[in-house]
Amino acid sequence: MKIVRLLAAVLLTACGPTPPQTVDTRPLVVATTTMVADLAAQIGGADIRLAALMGPGVDPHLYKPGASDAQKLSQAKVVLFSGLHLEGRMADMLEKRGVAVTVGIPSAELLLNDGHPDPHVWGDAQLWSHCIDPVVEALSAAHPAQKAAFTERGAQLKTTYATLHAWAKSEIAKIPASQRILITSHDAFAYFGRAYGLQVVGVQGISTVSEAGLADVAQAVDFIKAKAVKAIFVESSVPHATIERIAQDSGAKIGGELFSDALGENQTYEQMLRANVSRIVEALK
């Protein structure tokens, strides 16, 4: 009888009312690139749900959105993207649906390439800090109750980036002036070079849609020999073959891999810039 009563109690418990499930009311924020996702994470913190369309090492110039991306975008309360046509294949859709974080950058600060703004603004920490306010405003509009928290985190992030900017300048200054030449796969470091005092040479153009031709490779080899460049760099989101060939033909060593259009695995923007600066200084000084 004890067994029967025990079974009956178990059955009654199993058939009882299901406890209500907790609904996550935090706004879903969808970001395109890893750099934009980091901005959202730093400012939104635990007050948002964050989904990034592109992961580490993904080239935003070539990224093709899939069905899962469309679903995320349709469910998002806030859509954040870099802008300046970085997300080339998604630009039209994003401009109708989201907020470009680069909208806060003064137009006079933008570099032009063939008449179009260079989108690689995160190379300059001071310039990238202009992208904080648009994120704060977008998150505050979606979640007004946490506006004070978003504003405070945004202010803290500006301080972090100002410190980072000053540190990068002092580190690059350790490289002899004649060796402050940065040669990479594609022209993604123009803002970086302007901010921190490096001459930048990208073998490919501003986008990775087209590959470097034989003339581009030969020109780069001649330049490296003429300037006695010690090291050149591959990029995390661009195939390495072209730079490896140039290194072989010119005699320059490969100074390491730089993060250009995407952050590394579990990496913040600050960690990315510090890693790039440290690798460049170590290879060129």
Side-chain angles (χ1 to χ4, degrees):
M1 288 297 293
K2 288 183 179 180
I3 294 175
V4 172
R5 284 197 295 270
L6 179 60
L7 286 173
V10 170
L11 289 171
L12 285 171
T13 302
C15 296
T18 303
Q21 294 184 344
T22 303
V23 177
D24 193 340
T25 58
R26 296 173 301 165
L28 174 62
V29 178
V30 173
T32 53
T33 69
T34 51
M35 292 78 68
V36 175
D38 179 65
L39 268 180
Q42 298 297 329
I43 297 167
D47 297 314
I48 64 170
R49 291 179 293 140
L50 178 62
L53 299 186
M54 306 177 199
V58 174
D59 184 347
H61 297 288
L62 302 177
Y63 186 76
K64 294 180 181 179
S68 62
D69 295 330
Q71 183 178 14
K72 289 175 185 174
L73 289 168
S74 68
Q75 296 173 346
K77 183 77 172 181
V78 179
V79 174
L80 299 172
F81 66 105
S82 194
L84 302 177
H85 290 277
L86 175 71
E87 302 96 341
R89 303 190 179 196
M90 302 175 67
D92 291 341
M93 174 179 62
L94 291 169
E95 286 170 4
K96 295 175 183 176
R97 179 76 177 80
V99 174
V101 301
T102 51
V103 71
I105 297 177
S107 59
E109 294 293 319
L110 295 173
L111 296 171
L112 298 180
N113 188 293
D114 293 331
H116 301 287
D118 182 341
H120 303 92
V121 293
W122 55 87
D124 177 346
Q126 192 171 49
L127 203 60
W128 190 237
S129 68
H130 286 291
C131 300
I132 293 172
D133 284 344
V135 176
V136 170
E137 291 168 10
L139 297 186
S140 297
H143 198 359
Q146 296 302 320
K147 180 178 180 178
F150 298 145
T151 302
E152 182 180 355
R153 292 184 198 126
Q156 291 172 348
L157 197 58
K158 287 179 182 179
T159 300
T160 297
Y161 288 174
T163 301
L164 178 62
H165 182 69
W167 172 84
K169 275 191 167 184
S170 66
E171 286 296 301
I172 295 297
K174 296 177 181 178
I175 303 171
S178 63
Q179 288 296 313
R180 291 177 198 163
I181 301 172
L182 178 62
I183 298 178
T184 60
S185 302
H186 84 298
D187 201 4
F189 289 88
Y191 292 104
F192 180 88
R194 182 181 71 176
Y196 306 118
L198 288 153
Q199 179 183 356
V200 176
V201 178
V203 180
Q204 293 175 236
I206 199 169
S207 173
T208 56
V209 173
S210 59
E211 296 182 359
L214 292 176
D216 299 316
V217 172
Q219 187 176 4
V221 169
D222 291 342
F223 180 85
I224 291 167
K225 290 180 177 179
K227 297 290 185 179
V229 177
K230 292 170 61 176
I232 60 179
F233 299 85
V234 294
E235 298 175 34
S236 61
S237 56
V238 181
H240 297 178
T242 299
I243 289 295
E244 289 171 349
R245 177 180 174 182
I246 291 171
Q248 183 177 6
D249 292 348
S250 67
K253 69 178 181 180
I254 294 180
E257 183 180 69
L258 303 181
F259 301 100
S260 54
D261 289 348
L263 304 183
E265 193 74 40
N266 298 319
Q267 191 180 53
T268 66
Y269 167 76
E270 181 184 4
Q271 291 169 338
M272 177 273 289
L273 196 64
R274 287 186 181 276
N276 281 352
V277 169
S278 297
R279 197 155 289 165
I280 290 166
V281 172
E282 182 63 29
L284 296 181
K285 70 179 181 179

